Amino acid sequence: MSTAVGRQSGRQQALPPLPQAPGGSRLLGHAPQIRQDTMAALHALADNPGGVTGFRLGPSPAAVVSSAATAREVLIDSADDFGRGQRQTRALTPLMGNGLLTSEGDLHRRQRRLIVPHFSPRRIPRHADAIVAEAERTVADWRDGVDVDLVSEMNALTMDIVTRLLFSASTRDNKAMAQAITEAFEWEMHAITSIAALPMWVPTPRNLRARRNIASFRGWIADFIRERRAEGAEIREDVLADLMAARYEDGGSMPDDLLLDEVLTAWGAAQETSADAQAWTLYLLARHPEVQERVRAEVDAELGTRSVSYGDLARLPYCLQVFKEAMRLYPPAAVIPRQAIRDTCIGGYAVLSGTMVFISAYSLHRREDVFSDPERFDPDRFTREQEKTLPKGAYLPFGTGGNVCPGSHLAMMEGHLLTALLAQRLQVELLPQGSEIRPELLVNLRPSPGIRARVTHR
């Protein structure tokens, strides 16, 4: 239990105590539970009506935040009291430099002002056709009746999509670069989640391989930027072109080193999260045939056999409800880490400077006082009328406040399109080894050990 005390109405209060783990042991940071199943351990800690629970992560104080009110305190009301934390920054900086996922303060605010308008609802429809084209090409490549790992396939698909949207290019014919990207992201996951992760400068085999991969990946993107600079007046409809043309308030453009960091940040934020969100959606649909039939009925009635387009989305509301409900149960950004940079309070409880704070969207989305029968997959929670009744901040698939995901509108459009397209084109049958999986917290919430399924064309 944290030894911090707080003041509320003139009374001192300690953080709420740890719940008991099965067998009576405390869920301390050094206990096996937090290492072996981080998501389950944090969710157990979050079982507190007040929305904040203190514990220790090894020798350091920590807290889990799991209500709309306490999450708002950390991310909005007292956001200046919290930073990203040393572990997250140390893991992301080698690949993403000073991009939006690692930068803070004035630099972060300046970059957000420049970047966010390019991902506004008004700007994203132009990307819809590229998303559909890449998805249709992937589906066409699958042999009828093939057994696949849906997690792996969705990773490949979203990698193709993000490369197309960012650079008007593809990794399909560059297997070495695609492998370097995957391994670089895996190193980030290890650096964030492993207690024994060593800094990048330590010459372990893992770190040496990561250095090579990161150098290759960053060099590949730098080549795109140099080539685009050399093209001069040629205009392309991609994110790189948007960011190169963007101007600060003083009329200056983004320097190439920061441009590289922001492009890599956009890639990292978009690819893995989209892949996991779509894999979870396919998994849930396969496990709930009655929901899948409603999706197909909607898609078949509106589209028949033609390709989905952005203009169709308003007539496919149930597909969007399904995707939103999948992200309620399994939000890719299931835990948002922060670290107190000064003594502060959450929910009336004192939080000491240096305390790690884990905002558990996974647990917040399962609060019984907000979502009745919260473990049930029920897309009707997200009809337009029902969604309006949700308390503000009760649903945080993309975070909130000054660090809300800039690409949330694009991600939602992509998920909407892919849910409709994959339901229209494919029949997904879970194989015995793919029917029971658990959520594993890496950088995102990934289905573990993967989702084995048989895919046939409709």
Side-chain angles (χ1 to χ4, degrees):
M1 174 176 170
S2 171
T3 57
V5 294
R7 296 181 182 277
Q8 187 178 40
S9 302
R11 295 173 296 175
Q12 290 189 333
Q13 293 199 47
L15 282 169
L18 289 166
Q20 295 288 328
S25 63
R26 295 286 191 180
L27 286 171
L28 297 175
H30 60 266
Q33 291 93 340
I34 202 81
R35 296 198 304 269
Q36 295 174 2
D37 193 340
T38 305
M39 191 68 259
L42 291 177
H43 185 49
L45 287 166
D47 186 17
N48 187 311
V52 57
T53 300
F55 69 109
R56 284 196 172 274
L57 190 62
S60 305
V64 176
V65 166
S66 58
S67 73
T70 52
R72 180 183 176 86
E73 282 190 65
V74 177
L75 296 174
I76 299 178
D77 298 339
S78 301
D80 290 342
D81 291 342
F82 298 92
R84 298 189 184 279
Q86 295 176 355
R87 177 176 287 267
Q88 181 179 206
T89 301
R90 185 178 64 193
L92 298 181
T93 299
L95 178 61
M96 298 182 182
N98 289 314
L100 285 179
L101 278 178
T102 55
S103 64
E104 300 191 78
D106 290 341
L107 175 61
H108 182 83
R109 286 186 285 271
R110 189 178 191 225
Q111 289 300 104
R112 281 192 71 89
R113 286 195 298 270
L114 188 72
I115 292 169
V116 168
H118 296 285
F119 294 95
S120 68
R122 181 177 60 85
R123 298 293 298 274
I124 63 170
R126 67 196 178 109
H127 298 302
D129 289 347
I131 293 170
V132 171
E134 290 296 335
E136 288 184 334
R137 185 163 62 159
T138 294
V139 169
D141 285 347
W142 285 348
R143 290 180 292 106
D144 199 45
V146 68
D147 293 353
V148 301
D149 175 7
L150 294 176
V151 177
S152 175
E153 295 298 336
M154 290 303 101
N155 264 294
L157 170 57
T158 57
M159 188 173 290
D160 291 334
I161 288 172
V162 75
T163 312
R164 174 88 172 265
L165 298 188
L166 285 172
F167 312 120
S168 304
S170 175
T171 57
R172 280 178 173 249
D173 300 322
N174 196 333
K175 294 187 188 257
M177 189 52 57
Q179 183 65 23
I181 296 164
T182 299
E183 291 183 0
F185 289 161
E186 286 174 352
W187 182 89
E188 286 186 347
M189 293 176 188
H190 174 77
I192 289 176
T193 60
S194 174
I195 294 174
L198 295 173
M200 177 70 81
W201 59 265
V202 179
T204 64
R206 182 193 296 271
N207 285 350
L208 291 172
R209 185 170 61 250
R211 287 185 208 171
R212 290 193 297 270
N213 287 327
I214 290 172
S216 296
F217 191 18
R218 288 182 66 88
W220 189 55
I221 306 304
D223 287 343
F224 275 114
I225 294 173
R226 282 192 294 270
E227 290 169 8
R228 198 64 66 84
R229 293 286 189 207
E231 288 174 359
E234 182 175 342
I235 298 175
R236 298 202 188 195
E237 289 288 321
D238 58 31
V239 174
L240 178 57
D242 289 346
L243 297 183
M244 290 179 70
R247 294 293 180 268
Y248 295 112
E249 295 90 335
D250 61 7
S253 61
M254 202 184 309
D256 281 0
D257 58 345
L258 193 51
L259 177 63
L260 173 60
D261 292 345
E262 295 296 4
V263 169
L264 281 166
T265 295
W267 188 315
Q271 190 268 327
E272 181 80 20
T273 53
S274 295
D276 290 336
Q278 209 61 52
W280 283 117
T281 302
L282 289 172
Y283 170 77
L284 288 165
L285 285 173
R287 293 203 61 171
H288 297 84
E290 73 287 355
V291 175
Q292 186 166 250
E293 285 307 311
R294 280 186 64 182
V295 170
R296 286 179 179 158
E298 179 179 82
V299 169
D300 292 347
E302 292 299 330
L303 301 178
T305 59
R306 68 176 174 81
S307 297
V308 64
S309 69
Y310 179 80
D312 295 315
L313 295 183
R315 298 185 296 278
L316 299 169
Y318 193 65
C319 290
L320 182 59
Q321 290 170 218
V322 164
F323 185 64
K324 286 182 174 181
E325 174 69 348
M327 287 200 297
R328 180 189 70 83
L329 283 170
Y330 301 110
V335 174
I336 304 170
R338 290 290 182 268
Q339 188 168 25
I341 60 176
R342 59 179 65 91
D343 291 352
T344 185
C345 290
I346 305 173
Y349 298 99
V351 175
L352 299 178
S353 177
T355 299
M356 284 300 303
V357 176
F358 299 94
I359 302 158
S360 177
Y362 179 89
S363 302
L364 193 156
H365 291 176
R366 283 172 161 75
R367 288 185 66 96
E368 292 185 356
D369 57 346
V370 178
F371 299 100
S372 61
D373 194 5
E375 298 293 335
R376 180 166 53 94
F377 178 54
D378 180 10
D380 285 329
R381 300 180 201 274
F382 288 95
T383 64
R384 184 171 297 181
E385 295 75 19
Q386 284 296 107
E387 194 169 7
K388 288 178 181 177
T389 68
L390 291 177
K392 190 172 183 179
Y395 180 63
L396 296 178
F398 301 107
T400 189
N403 288 290
V404 67
C405 175
S408 59
H409 299 294
L410 178 60
M412 194 64 75
M413 180 187 73
E414 179 184 359
H416 196 172
L417 288 167
L418 293 182
T419 299
L421 186 152
L422 296 175
Q424 177 194 41
R425 304 298 176 89
L426 300 174
Q427 171 73 37
V428 177
E429 176 189 358
L430 296 179
L431 298 174
Q433 64 268 40
S435 58
E436 293 299 329
I437 63 172
R438 67 177 179 85
E440 181 181 12
L441 184 63
L442 297 170
V443 171
N444 296 307
L445 196 66
R446 177 180 289 180
S448 179
I451 306 173
R452 301 299 305 176
R454 179 164 295 128
V455 178
T456 54
H457 296 275
R458 290 186 68 207

